[in-house]
Amino acid sequence: MSGAPVPAAMPLPEPILEIARTLEDAGFETWCVGGAVRDWLKGELDKDVDLATAATPDQVQHLFPRTVAVGVRYGTVGVLDRDRALHEVTTFRKDVSTDGRHAVVAYGVSIDEDLARRDFTINALAYHPLRGEWRDPFDGKADLLQREIVRAVGDPVTRFAEDYLRILRMIRFAARFGFTIEPATWQAAQAAALRLSELSAERVRDEWFKGLESAGSVAELVRLWRDVGAAEVWLPELGSEFPLAAQLRPRDAVVLTAGLCRSPATVLRRLRASNAEIARASGTDIPAQEPGSNEAVAVRRWLAAVGEAADDLALLAQYRLGTPPPWAETLTGIRVRGEATSRIQLAVTGDDLRAAGIAAGPELGRLLGKLLDTVLENPGCNSREALLALVRSWR
């Protein structure tokens, strides 16, 4: 141990304490583990606290009347509290075998053995919710609070071979906290990076999105993905330059991907993103990403051209500049005033034009387009009477 200061008692929600008491009263040692413990030491309070226990999944399900089998195969049971909020309780376990993606686990081990199977020292921490005792067998508190490093538990080559996703988790933690990566851990990650190709696209996507949303510096996240070799495997379209402001919150992972990558829709298809996310990325991948000027007419015409992509493009411009773009105020004003920028917002419909004697077909579409063009120039024209009068004058 390095002599890292012993933290004060961790404040815990009453439902967590009740679950822990039930398990301990039944003779099953129980500890708080996971990200909530780590983050509390960094000054971030998270009510979603995971518990690790000596009880097997069957014993946990027997002790609590309302449970959900969220991951029984891996030892995890969801316990529902009185407000039906779910809390994960996982049996102490060790890995019996692993193929670099999934592990076969065994129960009947101690909390120290459970912590020994975890990825990094900053995650191999435990807090006893009833005794106020800390367990830190790998000096993770000092790595977290003093040395500010990401270091593998035990042999880093072995840790990454157990699950190659840990390479991406390493990057995410380093970028989130602004930590350096311990040299042996970094070298082992670089040596194993090509094995990232064996992971499922969904797991990689989740890590990429989490990294973008949590990184203290997106630029650092991108650098680490490139330098470790992960970008070469999964994100070859990732740009070599970083045109986006690093500190803005909240983060939108789809928009950030669009700003960082060439052909972002291709990237998101590879990562098995949803159809809606792929469509959003496609909408931002256009030449006219910003209005030609800050004038209201130019912004209205831009809105008409980009349609539903407008909000994502505005956010992308803000990420690039680090502040709202100069036309953002104009855009807000157009929306507050309710000015039409699409055919659906016109005060007349196709039915109105047909009632006025316009036959369905190309001519009707041409007239609606001409009416929108007029309204984009002069929003005050957007009334039913004025638009029908225009149609009559054109005919």
Side-chain angles (χ1 to χ4, degrees):
M1 298 287 179
S2 69
V6 176
M10 183 177 175
L12 293 167
E14 185 58 32
I16 295 294
L17 293 173
E18 288 181 4
I19 294 170
R21 287 190 197 102
T22 299
L23 288 163
E24 288 273 343
D25 288 348
F28 301 113
E29 185 182 10
T30 300
W31 295 76
C32 297
V33 295
V37 175
R38 177 200 64 226
D39 293 349
W40 181 77
L41 290 170
K42 291 291 290 180
E44 302 174 22
L45 188 59
D46 187 347
K47 293 183 179 179
D48 187 17
V49 180
D50 294 336
L51 293 169
T53 182
T56 65
D58 286 344
Q59 289 167 332
V60 174
Q61 290 172 315
H62 178 73
L63 281 171
F64 297 95
R66 295 180 297 181
T67 63
V68 179
V70 295
V72 170
R73 178 182 176 187
Y74 301 106
T76 301
V77 174
V79 176
L80 295 170
D81 64 25
R82 283 175 288 185
D83 296 324
R84 300 198 66 81
L86 187 143
H87 308 279
E88 291 192 358
V89 178
T90 303
T91 304
F92 296 156
R93 54 193 176 167
K94 65 179 179 179
D95 293 338
V96 175
S97 65
T98 178
D99 60 4
R101 294 178 298 169
H102 307 293
V104 176
V105 298
Y107 308 138
V109 300
S110 66
I111 181 62
D112 285 344
E113 289 173 293
D114 183 84
L115 295 175
R117 70 178 294 275
R118 295 176 185 264
D119 49 8
F120 307 108
T121 61
I122 60 174
N123 295 328
L125 300 163
Y127 174 78
H128 198 282
L130 306 181
R131 299 198 299 265
E133 176 187 343
W134 287 87
R135 192 62 61 87
D136 180 17
F138 303 101
D139 212 14
K141 287 200 295 290
D143 285 349
L144 184 72
L145 302 176
Q146 297 176 350
R147 290 186 283 266
E148 297 189 333
I149 61 171
V150 180
R151 177 168 62 94
V153 170
D155 174 34
V157 174
T158 302
R159 291 290 82 77
F160 293 129
E162 290 167 347
D163 185 353
Y164 296 112
L165 192 74
R166 288 172 170 173
I167 296 171
L168 305 184
R169 285 170 56 82
M170 172 195 77
I171 291 171
R172 173 159 60 90
F173 293 131
R176 174 184 170 184
F177 295 121
F179 285 6
T180 58
I181 298 171
E182 186 261 339
T185 301
W186 176 255
Q187 291 163 12
Q190 282 186 309
L194 290 178
R195 304 296 296 272
L196 289 168
S197 63
E198 300 173 16
L199 298 174
S200 72
E202 292 83 357
R203 295 183 79 203
V204 174
R205 179 198 64 227
D206 288 349
E207 272 302 317
W208 171 243
F209 278 12
K210 286 178 185 177
L212 290 173
E213 291 162 358
S214 66
S217 166
V218 175
E220 179 65 2
L221 179 82
V222 170
R223 183 188 71 79
L224 290 170
W225 267 74
R226 293 177 64 83
D227 289 354
V228 83
E232 180 181 352
V233 176
W234 280 101
L235 300 175
E237 297 87 353
L238 191 62
S240 58
E241 308 222 344
F242 183 74
L244 305 182
Q247 304 300 329
L248 292 179
R249 294 284 199 280
R251 303 268 180 72
D252 186 302
V254 172
V255 174
L256 283 168
T257 300
L260 291 166
C261 297
R262 303 178 302 276
S263 303
T266 301
V267 172
L268 292 180
R269 285 191 192 95
R270 183 183 306 122
L271 296 178
R272 301 283 180 88
S274 69
N275 289 336
E277 290 167 333
I278 293 168
R280 288 179 59 202
S282 297
T284 64
D285 194 18
I286 58 175
Q289 291 197 337
E290 299 190 39
S293 78
N294 303 336
E295 297 297 321
V297 171
V299 176
R300 283 194 296 269
R301 289 197 171 280
W302 177 79
L303 283 167
V306 303
E308 294 181 355
D311 287 336
D312 285 344
L313 289 168
L315 186 57
L316 183 57
Q318 183 169 337
Y319 286 154
R320 286 175 174 152
L321 295 170
T323 186
W327 42 268
E329 187 174 346
T330 306
L331 172 61
T332 300
I334 290 168
R335 287 176 164 169
V336 168
R337 294 188 297 271
E339 295 171 358
T341 58
S342 66
R343 290 186 183 186
I344 198 172
Q345 292 174 293
L346 290 174
V348 296
T349 66
D351 289 342
D352 292 325
L353 296 190
R354 284 191 290 272
I358 310 298
E363 176 66 6
L364 187 145
R366 186 187 70 81
L367 285 172
L368 284 172
K370 193 172 180 181
L371 288 173
L372 177 60
D373 192 64
T374 300
V375 169
L376 291 174
E377 288 289 332
N378 184 3
C381 292
N382 192 28
S383 70
R384 188 173 186 276
E385 295 76 15
L387 295 183
L388 289 176
L390 279 173
V391 170
R392 288 193 293 271
S393 71
W394 293 337
R395 298 188 72 209

